[in-house]
Amino acid sequence: MSTPVSRVPFLPPETSQDARVLLTARGLRAFGDGFVSILLPVHLTQLGLSNVQIGAVATATLLGSAALTLLVGFNAHRIGRRALLLRASILMVVTGLGFAFLRDFWPLLLVAFLGTINPSSGDVSVFLPTELALLPQTTSDAQRTALFARFSMAGSLVAAFGALCAGGPSWLAAQGNFPLQLGIDLMFVLYALLGAVALFLYRGLSPAVEPDKEKPPTALGPSKRTVYSLSALFSLDSFGSGLVVQSLLALWLFQRFGFAVTTTGLIFFWTGVLSALSALLAVRISRRIGLINTAVFTHLPANACLMLAPFMHTVELSVLLLLVRSLFSQMDVPVRNSYVMAVVTPPERPAAASITAVPKSLASALGPLLSGWLFSLSLFGWPLVLAGGLKGLYDVLLLLRFRALKPPEEQDRVQQRST
């Protein structure tokens, strides 16, 4: 671990300067993800694409993320982690410019596949596995979950403000002679500029982020069975999440309830704020009941809310359930990421991050296309019902399979209690 930072707000104790760089860059990217996930269906609708084509573009973004993540997993030891993040930032710049200036379905589909556009409220981009592998070496085991919680909180909170800004083009268009499409195009240019700022930030990472020469990254060894089991379960959860990525959920709100972009952005602002607050709550809960129990028992109520939302007789009740869901749905993210990094050996962490990320991206990629097709048949909200059921099944299976496998800090607490 590099030299710890003293008296730095927001970061837990015993945490290095590199963690601050990673969290700041995460926040910048999340801001772009926040407004892009809402503007993407509006942008594609403005260009004349159908619901199925919009679903196909969302699917392409997730498939491309999976392919790039797999490429990163195979080549991280050759290129270096800092260089990977710099190249991903350049790709983010190109992606934003591509969506700002291209107009036809097939070129947009290609940019979606090769680029970094994120249709969901969480980070599914090529940046994530590299950052997850870096974070544990910037702090101690005792502070690992707290750091992951702040990483998740930074993403959710700043993405919430990004969602709020998604209504900017519509508001400007309503004030006078400002074309809506021009405003949307400028937001994609802003997304590209955020990639350029992230590039500058990643250049400030220290050499300490690179692997220890005495313990270089390795392929999975003793943790192989654990990682493959986790990957299979995460894939089930991600398939459910793919059915309700934020872009498709926004499309449902637009078409089912006739919401304006500004109203939808306000809803996703509050869901993001609640998700951000839940990340810090997850740390406190996990210290009492453990990482796996926290991931499962906070996730189940969120899935119940998701399943019930389409059955509500009023729009207010549907939105209320989506807000309650957001308070619980992201608690599992920091504890789950911390758990994966804790139960594998340090040299296996980059491989574990990639291997758990790729199947998740592939599984989630199937969802948007299916949701787009289901919404073209009926706007009732069947994707929400199906997603909640699949994600609930994942929770039960995760608890049954991994409740006995404890991370080091929980093993230490058990030993202290026994003595």
Side-chain angles (χ1 to χ4, degrees):
M1 188 180 77
S2 49
T3 305
V5 179
S6 60
R7 299 191 184 126
V8 176
F10 194 66
L11 290 177
E14 305 173 45
T15 303
S16 76
Q17 176 77 18
D18 290 320
R20 182 167 60 179
V21 174
L22 293 172
L23 265 67
T24 304
R26 171 74 180 99
L28 279 172
R29 294 188 292 103
F31 182 73
D33 290 339
F35 63 75
V36 160
S37 63
I38 295 175
L39 289 177
L40 184 63
V42 181
H43 178 57
L44 299 178
T45 300
Q46 286 283 112
L47 297 179
L49 273 62
S50 67
N51 284 357
V52 175
Q53 288 176 316
I54 293 172
V57 171
T59 291
T61 65
L62 298 171
L63 283 174
S65 293
L68 286 172
T69 300
L70 187 62
L71 188 65
V72 166
F74 283 128
N75 294 282
H77 62 286
R78 298 191 187 98
I79 301 174
R81 296 171 182 176
R82 181 172 172 271
L84 281 171
L85 292 172
L86 293 175
R87 295 180 186 188
S89 300
I90 294 171
L91 189 59
M92 182 176 174
V93 173
V94 175
T95 303
L97 295 177
F99 270 88
F101 296 108
L102 295 174
R103 292 290 180 264
D104 296 325
F105 170 67
W106 290 108
L108 286 170
L109 190 70
L110 180 63
V111 173
F113 180 79
L114 296 176
T116 60
I117 286 289
N118 179 14
S120 71
S121 57
D123 197 342
V124 294
S125 68
V126 68
F127 293 92
L128 190 61
T130 303
E131 291 177 330
L132 292 182
L134 288 178
L135 283 172
Q137 70 188 58
T138 66
T139 192
S140 64
D141 281 343
Q143 299 297 333
R144 187 187 62 254
T145 302
L147 180 59
F148 273 101
R150 284 161 173 77
F151 184 76
S152 181
M153 181 181 180
S156 296
L157 190 59
V158 182
F161 284 97
L164 196 62
C165 293
S170 296
W171 183 83
L172 289 173
Q175 302 308 305
N177 298 321
F178 192 90
L180 175 61
Q181 189 59 57
L182 175 60
I184 294 174
D185 290 341
L186 290 175
M187 294 298 282
F188 280 105
V189 172
L190 174 59
Y191 178 85
L193 291 175
L194 292 172
V197 178
L199 175 70
F200 173 78
L201 287 172
Y202 287 132
R203 285 173 58 88
L205 288 171
S206 74
V209 302
E210 302 300 342
D212 188 341
K213 293 181 180 179
E214 298 180 359
K215 296 181 179 179
T218 65
L220 290 178
S223 308
K224 182 182 296 185
R225 184 176 178 181
T226 297
V227 172
Y228 286 163
S229 297
L230 286 167
S231 296
L233 290 172
F234 292 169
S235 296
L236 177 62
D237 179 55
S238 293
F239 177 66
S241 298
L243 293 165
V244 287
V245 294
Q246 191 153 292
S247 291
L248 271 297
L249 199 55
L251 183 66
W252 180 63
L253 293 173
F254 294 151
Q255 297 185 351
R256 172 77 184 273
F257 302 114
F259 281 179
V261 176
T262 49
T263 304
T264 304
L266 183 61
I267 291 171
F268 286 126
F269 166 76
W270 285 112
T271 61
V273 169
L274 292 172
S275 295
L277 295 176
S278 72
L280 294 183
L281 290 175
V283 178
R284 293 179 176 270
I285 296 171
S286 67
R287 286 173 179 165
R288 291 182 175 271
I289 66 174
L291 295 177
I292 289 296
N293 287 338
T294 301
V296 171
F297 293 121
T298 61
H299 210 221
L300 282 170
N303 297 329
C305 290
L306 185 62
M307 294 180 69
L308 291 172
F311 292 96
M312 295 298 101
H313 296 296
T314 66
V315 60
E316 291 82 6
L317 286 175
S318 292
V319 171
L320 177 62
L321 283 175
L322 292 177
L323 290 171
V324 173
R325 177 221 176 199
S326 67
L327 182 60
F328 295 98
S329 65
Q330 295 301 305
M331 280 192 186
D332 71 313
V333 174
V335 297
R336 191 171 73 176
N337 290 336
S338 177
Y339 182 81
V340 174
M341 295 297 104
V343 296
V344 302
T345 62
E348 292 176 296
R349 282 172 178 167
S354 293
I355 289 171
T356 53
V358 171
K360 282 165 53 182
S361 294
L362 289 173
S364 63
L366 302 174
L369 188 60
L370 177 58
S371 286
W373 177 70
L374 289 173
F375 284 145
S376 70
L377 299 177
S378 169
L379 291 177
F380 168 73
W382 288 114
L384 282 71
V385 178
L386 182 58
L390 290 171
K391 291 166 76 64
L393 176 61
Y394 149 78
D395 290 327
V396 174
L397 294 176
L398 180 67
L399 181 65
L400 293 175
R401 173 65 179 83
F402 287 101
R403 60 184 173 182
L405 180 60
K406 307 292 185 183
E409 64 272 20
E410 291 179 25
Q411 293 176 11
D412 293 341
R413 285 200 291 266
V414 170
Q415 292 176 355
Q416 289 173 3
R417 289 171 186 167
S418 63
T419 56

